[in-house]
Amino acid sequence: MKFERLLFGTAGVPNSTPKKNNPIDGVKQVHALGLDCMQLEFAHGVRMKEEVSSGLRKVSYELGIPLTSHGPYYINLNAREQDKIDSSVERIIQTAKISDLCGAESMTFHAAFYMKDSPYDVFDLVQKSLNVIEERLNRLDIQIELRPELTGKTSQFGSLEELIDLTKSVSSCSPCMDFSHLFARTNEYNTYEEFCTVLKKLKEELDPNALQNMHIHISGISSNSKGDLKHLNLEDSDFNWRDLLRALKDFDCRGYVICNSPNLEKDAKMMKDFYLGL
Ligand SMILES: [Zn+2]
């Protein structure tokens, strides 16, 4: 998809949607709220009736609200048992199939846990599985961007460097840039200069057009010394979202900004209004 600017939307159906379990109503609500896009959350399982996916594709097209998706949480491409790795691969493929039916062009997922293994070994395993997934999706003629997420816990695979390396080695892969996770993971990257450093790195190391086709997550966040994460509303968090949006604007970044603060649409709208005022 060609973007003219950053698009702002919610991780899942907006809270104010009358029927919160209906994603089609969710897309209509995103449109009514003046937001731009919506992420389908398959956090607890990838099932969707045919009529829902075709309805989503239709309403998304008619209202001009593009969709992204998020795979289930119980994916671990570095699981101890081979059958768990296999079912993780299947879940990613199933997410891709349904996302494609809904018309989504970019999907994110948490790829793996380190399980105390060396990050190099985990990288190899994740890369191998993603190559298999890519090949199978090609055979199914499904074109979707696979976006492993920048994860917030140091026990999870998905550092900035790992995602850059994966993008270089798997052609349908690009990072899902969760800047709130990056902050929680490193306790850094919360100033304008630091955000610029990240964007510069992406620009230099990835495709020159990578910044014009981004999938970003932003929410308020806090993490304790044990690395437990809590999503907060932006105003209750130290996360410096204003300077992040300034940096994204200054680098002419384009693509999806998905908000996963608890108040979903409120923070998404606040970010959109701030961004359009820059
Ligand atoms: Zn996620």
Side-chain angles (χ1 to χ4, degrees):
M1 172 151 161
K2 277 247 171 209
F3 298 95
E4 294 186 351
R5 59 169 171 83
L6 289 177
L7 304 179
F8 291 82
T10 52
V13 170
N15 293 324
S16 55
T17 310
K19 285 195 216 126
K20 250 215 102 173
N21 56 2
N22 185 340
I24 296 175
D25 285 358
V27 173
K28 292 179 187 164
Q29 186 69 1
V30 162
H31 182 257
L33 290 165
L35 290 168
D36 310 311
C37 55
M38 191 179 96
Q39 181 155 289
L40 302 166
E41 295 287 324
F42 296 111
H44 302 289
V46 218
R47 272 182 308 265
M48 188 177 268
K49 287 190 184 141
E50 241 255 55
E51 69 248 36
V52 177
S53 46
S54 57
L56 269 171
R57 175 182 272 270
K58 190 163 173 274
V59 73
S60 146
Y61 179 76
E62 284 172 357
L63 298 178
I65 304 289
L67 301 170
T68 60
S69 68
H70 190 303
Y73 289 141
Y74 36 85
I75 283 173
N76 184 4
L77 296 173
N78 184 40
R80 296 297 83 156
E81 300 85 0
Q82 185 59 40
D83 65 311
K84 286 196 182 151
I85 296 183
D86 294 344
S87 55
S88 294
V89 166
E90 293 310 319
R91 286 190 183 110
I92 294 173
I93 289 174
Q94 188 60 16
T95 307
K97 278 185 187 169
I98 294 188
S99 303
D100 183 59
L101 286 176
C102 298
E105 293 178 356
S106 181
M107 62 172 269
T108 185
F109 53 92
H110 309 173
F113 290 87
Y114 295 119
M115 318 288 287
K116 301 201 165 72
D117 291 344
S118 127
Y120 297 101
D121 295 341
V122 181
F123 182 91
D124 275 351
L125 263 185
V126 170
Q127 186 194 345
K128 277 196 190 103
S129 286
L130 289 177
N131 279 322
V132 169
I133 290 165
E134 181 175 72
E135 206 184 299
R136 281 186 52 194
L137 291 177
N138 280 340
R139 262 186 274 140
L140 292 165
D141 205 20
I142 292 175
Q143 281 175 20
I144 191 157
E145 289 161 4
L146 300 173
R147 303 262 195 173
E149 186 172 311
L150 209 166
T151 52
K153 298 180 189 174
T154 48
S155 59
Q156 287 173 300
F157 173 87
S159 68
L160 178 62
E161 292 68 26
E162 284 165 341
L163 297 188
I164 288 175
D165 288 346
L166 264 189
T167 303
K168 289 177 178 171
S169 52
V170 182
S171 62
S172 49
C173 244
S174 343
C176 172
M177 289 298 299
D178 191 317
F179 283 95
S180 307
H181 280 170
L182 179 62
F183 169 53
R185 187 182 180 101
T186 61
N187 236 319
E188 291 174 55
Y189 301 110
N190 204 30
T191 65
Y192 178 83
E193 288 70 28
E194 287 171 316
F195 295 134
C196 291
T197 310
V198 176
L199 296 174
K200 210 166 148 245
K201 191 170 174 137
L202 292 177
K203 193 174 172 176
E204 285 169 2
E205 299 217 25
L206 304 183
D207 186 275
N209 299 319
L211 296 187
Q212 276 72 54
N213 178 20
M214 296 186 79
H215 185 158
I216 296 167
H217 285 176
I218 303 177
S219 71
I221 199 155
S222 74
S223 78
N224 65 19
S225 53
K226 282 185 274 169
D228 296 323
L229 294 187
K230 202 171 163 209
H231 286 272
L232 303 170
N233 295 332
L234 287 170
E235 294 297 7
D236 300 329
S237 156
D238 297 330
F239 187 61
N240 185 3
W241 59 276
R242 291 182 181 85
D243 275 339
L244 171 57
L245 289 178
R246 284 189 189 103
L248 290 168
K249 169 96 183 183
D250 292 346
F251 276 77
D252 190 26
C253 294
R254 305 175 193 192
Y256 308 104
V257 176
I258 301 296
C259 174
N260 43 13
S261 298
N263 71 13
L264 294 174
E265 61 264 44
K266 285 204 179 125
D267 278 357
K269 194 70 178 37
M270 181 167 79
M271 286 194 280
K272 178 174 178 181
D273 291 344
F274 180 82
Y275 167 79
L276 291 180
L278 287 173

